[in-house]
């Protein structure tokens, strides 16, 4: 398996585990972002960390986005007081959700040839979304998405791929 | 609840994000509530009726997860 294919496989698999952990039946862009942030020693993880977005920070930003959005309609998740459900579902991989699909499609579309694809293209695809949970979470965390996008793009260019 | 009680936001992004977050919360709440009911000895038909869905739907969605969680599942209502 080529390095990019192995990386993508890891992100999709771990994204699925993130979705399950969050009780989601679909893998969305935010689950892929968590998976990207968790891959220690990879270029996309280092770029995220340089913007203060290590794995715990991404989790916190996504949690803050949920709380903020719920508060817009006067809902507090803690007000129900129910125990956390058991979310273990072995032998059942959640399917890819719409925002997850879009992130992957945008990542692929940002490389001119398939053999030019690098791990950073996956992050690029996730960050290209202008609306939705991920850009809102980044904004709430005080991250300049355009600046982050530019950094990811330049890391790909520096790698010798236009 | 009258129409005027439904909050309308200036920024549609906030209102749309609230819809997404509430769907997510509803899914998590359903998981927790079904697990709690089944641990308390409710039957599948009772849970299904309370949720307003078919027995098949609630079973398909939750049975595997609850079995893994070690919840004793009742086969039929008393």
């Amino acid at each position: 398996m080529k390095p990019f294919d192995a990386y993508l496989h890891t992100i999709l698999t771990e994204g699925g585990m993130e979705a399950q952990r969050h009780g989601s039946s679909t893998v969305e862009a935010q689950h892929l972002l968590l998976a990207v942030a968790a891959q220690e020693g990879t270029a996309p993880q280092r770029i995220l960390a340089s913007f203060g977005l290590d794995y715990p920070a991404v989790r916190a930003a996504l949690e803050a986005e949920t709380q903020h959005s719920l508060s817009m309609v006067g809902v507090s998740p803690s007000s129900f007081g129910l125990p956390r459900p058991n979310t273990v579902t072995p032998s059942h991989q959640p399917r890819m959700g719409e925002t997850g699909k879009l992130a992957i499609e945008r990542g692929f579309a940002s490389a001119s040839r398939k053999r030019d694809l690098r791990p950073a293209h996956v992050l690029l695809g996730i960050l290209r979304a202008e609306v939705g949970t991920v850009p809102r979470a980044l904004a709430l965390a005080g991250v300049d998405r355009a600046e982050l996008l530019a950094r990811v793009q330049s890391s790909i260019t520096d790698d010798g791929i236009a | 609840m009258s129409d005027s009680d439904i909050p309308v936001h200036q920024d549609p992004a906030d209102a749309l994000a609230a819809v997404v977050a509430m769907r997510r919360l509803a899914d998590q709440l359903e998981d927790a509530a079904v697990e709690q009911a089944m641990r308390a000895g409710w039957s599948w038909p009772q849970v299904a009726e309370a949720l307003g869905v078919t027995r098949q739907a609630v079973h398909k969605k939750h049975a595997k997860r609850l079995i893994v969680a070690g919840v004793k599942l009742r086969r039929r209502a008393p």
Side-chain angles (χ1 to χ4, degrees), chain A residues 22-23 30 65-66 68-70 72-73 75 77 80 82-83 85-86 88-91 133 136, chain B residues 7 9 13-14 17-18 20-22 24-25 27-29 31-33 35-36 64-65 68-69:
Chain A
H22 291 85
Q30 63 267 31
E65 194 281 327
T66 299
H68 177 74
S69 295
L70 288 174
M72 291 284 130
V73 284
V75 175
F80 293 100
L82 274 174
N86 189 302
V88 186
T89 41
S91 73
T133 302
R136 285 173 64 84
Chain B
H9 295 280
D14 281 339
V20 175
M22 296 230 302
R24 224 155 39 205
L25 180 62
D27 282 345
Q28 289 166 0
L29 191 57
D31 284 355
E35 183 171 335
Q36 194 186 36
K64 223 185 249 176
R65 180 175 63 85
V68 172

Side-chain angles (χ1 to χ4, degrees), chain B residues 37-54:
Chain B
M38 297 307 280
R39 282 189 194 278
W42 284 48
S43 67
W44 287 116
Q46 286 173 323
V47 171
E49 190 172 345
L51 284 174
V53 299
T54 64

Side-chain angles (χ1 to χ4, degrees), chain A residues 14 19 35-36 49 57 83 103 107 154:
Chain A
E14 292 200 13
V36 169
S154 72

Side-chain angles (χ1 to χ4, degrees), chain A residues 15-70:
Chain A
M17 284 156 62
E18 291 292 348
Q20 285 183 350
R21 208 168 290 151
H22 291 85
S24 171
S25 58
T26 52
V27 186
E28 303 296 342
Q30 63 267 31
H31 305 128
L32 299 177
L33 180 63
L34 282 166
V36 169
Q39 305 314 307
E40 296 283 342
T42 61
Q45 182 270 333
R46 281 195 296 270
I47 296 170
L48 284 174
S50 74
F51 276 72
L53 293 169
D54 57 5
Y55 180 83
V58 174
R59 271 193 81 145
L62 291 169
E63 183 57 34
E65 194 281 327
T66 299
Q67 302 274 354
H68 177 74
S69 295
L70 288 174

